[in-house]
Amino acid sequence: MKTIEIYVEEFISLCGLSGTSVTVTRHILLVLVAVLLSAAAGIACRKLIMPLVHKLTEHTRTRWDDVLLGKPILMAASRIVPAIVIWVLLPMVFTEIPVVHEILKRLTAVYITVMSMKLAIVIIDSLKQIGNDRRSATHQYLHSFCGVLKIIAIFIAVIVVIAVVINKNPATLFAGLGATSAIMMLVFKDTISGLVAGIRLTSNDMLHKGDWITVPKAGIDGNVEDITLTTVKVRNFDNTIMTVTPQTLVDDSFQNWIGMQQGPGRRVNRKVYYDFRSIRAVDETLKAQMVEKGYFKANDIKPGTVNLTLFRQYVEKYLAVHKDVNADMTLMVRQLGPTNTGLPVEFYFFLKDKEWVTYEHNLAAIMEHLYAITPDFGLAIYQQQIAPEV
């Protein structure tokens, strides 16, 4: 700074100026020098340093440096550099006009504080991109914690700006906040409860981005698209977007289908009601019919065997060898309690393909086959008769 002042004084002497014009010229030249140097610093950051850092990060295998030294962060940092240059050069500008010097000093400090806050927010947002393609509980916790960090950064920036404007020490203002902590708790009540609920969701590995969840009370049935400090955004299968608070998921029950998606099969649990009047012992005619169609051999059907028993045995064998059924998981056909609408028979098994459309098609093909062969066993599916209109 002293060197710049010496050069400015020598330039004024060479121009042969005297009197009040010397002061005016000195201030104009010093302001121009400060502006030019700050602009040069900003251009150097954007045109030289940023491309150099970008090339260096491209040649590394790690991902964190691409995120933390990416373009958004470097651009936010480059906006602070010109203000820092002005701050450094301020002592030699308007030294003879204390009021203007003080105003410029405070404005520069406010600008640096605001830009530093924006830089901190950009860094926090960039942290969420590290491992964003993974659905780990650690990343979800980091995602929620980043929301708190942004609130803290904004809060600190506001306190510092107020302290600069009123010319007070920021530490004094922070010390005085103890008396208003109760009010702050009320203001940020939802944020604090959301943070606690988010920590419970992630620490207990209850929810991740990409999970398929069902929340009956909220009418939610879809995939989790985003988890923030105060909301969980879900895209339903009808492409509607619904949001629910983490606190709601913690307080109420919800169904997470991640276990099914990662498991070896997707469950089928269907009930079919059979007419009691069609359940009977197998006679020779029905026995011959089932043998002819290849369901059983003649020696397999014992005298007095009930047709429903044979039907259950055949269905279990059919499902055990079906290419779409995972026979290593639970597979059974069982009776449930009798009702006035027939005898319910439950088909319980797991399909290998868990993708929704394929799952439904495979399930429909299996059940349609079972419906079609029901008459071959002398059985009838219960169907309520509608009285004819008079």
Side-chain angles (χ1 to χ4, degrees), residues 297-310:
K297 294 180 181 180
N299 296 332
D300 295 335
I301 304 177
K302 306 298 180 182
T305 304
V306 178
N307 58 351
L308 182 59
T309 302
L310 294 176

Side-chain angles (χ1 to χ4, degrees), residues 104-130:
L104 289 177
K105 182 179 178 181
R106 294 190 187 185
L107 289 177
T108 305
V110 169
Y111 178 83
I112 293 175
T113 303
V114 173
M115 290 298 105
S116 299
M117 177 199 68
K118 290 186 176 181
L119 174 61
I121 291 176
V122 173
I123 293 175
I124 293 170
D125 289 335
S126 298
L127 287 175
K128 296 189 292 186
Q129 298 178 16
I130 300 177

Side-chain angles (χ1 to χ4, degrees), residues 78-297:
S78 65
R79 296 189 183 99
I80 304 176
V81 174
I84 294 176
V85 173
I86 294 293
W87 176 269
V88 173
L89 297 178
L90 267 179
M92 71 177 187
V93 182
F94 297 110
T95 54
E96 298 179 3
I97 311 176
V99 176
V100 177
H101 180 272
E102 186 64 25
I103 292 175
L104 289 177
K105 182 179 178 181
R106 294 190 187 185
L107 289 177
T108 305
V110 169
Y111 178 83
I112 293 175
T113 303
V114 173
M115 290 298 105
S116 299
M117 177 199 68
K118 290 186 176 181
L119 174 61
I121 291 176
V122 173
I123 293 175
I124 293 170
D125 289 335
S126 298
L127 287 175
K128 296 189 292 186
Q129 298 178 16
I130 300 177
N132 194 35
D133 53 337
R134 296 174 295 176
R135 301 186 301 180
S136 65
T138 302
H139 179 263
Q140 291 298 336
Y141 177 79
L142 177 63
H143 195 286
S144 300
F145 189 66
C146 283
V148 179
L149 291 179
K150 286 198 287 186
I151 293 176
I152 293 175
I154 295 173
F155 178 72
I156 293 175
V158 170
I159 296 299
V160 173
V161 169
I162 294 174
V164 170
V165 172
I166 65 176
N167 197 22
K168 294 288 185 180
N169 190 341
T172 304
L173 295 182
F174 281 114
L177 290 177
T180 60
S181 58
I183 299 176
M184 299 299 293
M185 291 288 289
L186 291 175
V187 172
F188 294 105
K189 178 177 66 67
D190 294 336
T191 302
I192 295 172
S193 62
L195 173 62
V196 174
I199 292 174
R200 290 177 61 186
L201 285 175
T202 54
S203 61
N204 295 321
D205 203 23
M206 299 166 62
L207 191 65
H208 310 84
K209 182 179 178 182
D211 286 1
W212 170 18
I213 65 170
T214 303
V215 188
K217 290 185 179 180
I220 290 177
D221 185 17
N223 296 321
V224 177
E225 286 202 337
D226 193 21
I227 303 175
T228 64
L229 186 64
T230 56
T231 59
V232 176
K233 184 166 68 174
V234 181
R235 180 181 291 274
N236 287 333
F237 293 122
D238 58 0
N239 279 331
T240 58
I241 303 294
M242 298 193 70
T243 58
V244 63
T245 62
Q247 190 67 40
T248 301
L249 298 180
V250 171
D251 292 341
D252 298 329
S253 61
F254 71 96
Q255 191 171 15
N256 192 330
W257 297 85
I258 188 64
M260 178 274 295
Q261 291 175 323
Q262 296 177 348
R266 183 171 177 180
R267 187 184 68 169
V268 174
N269 186 9
R270 289 294 178 91
K271 288 187 294 185
V272 179
Y273 292 81
Y274 289 89
D275 196 327
F276 282 106
R277 291 168 292 187
S278 66
I279 302 174
R280 56 188 172 88
V282 177
D283 55 19
E284 291 299 325
T285 303
L286 184 57
K287 177 180 178 180
Q289 178 180 323
M290 287 190 286
V291 171
E292 180 183 356
K293 290 184 177 292
Y295 296 132
F296 293 97
K297 294 180 181 180

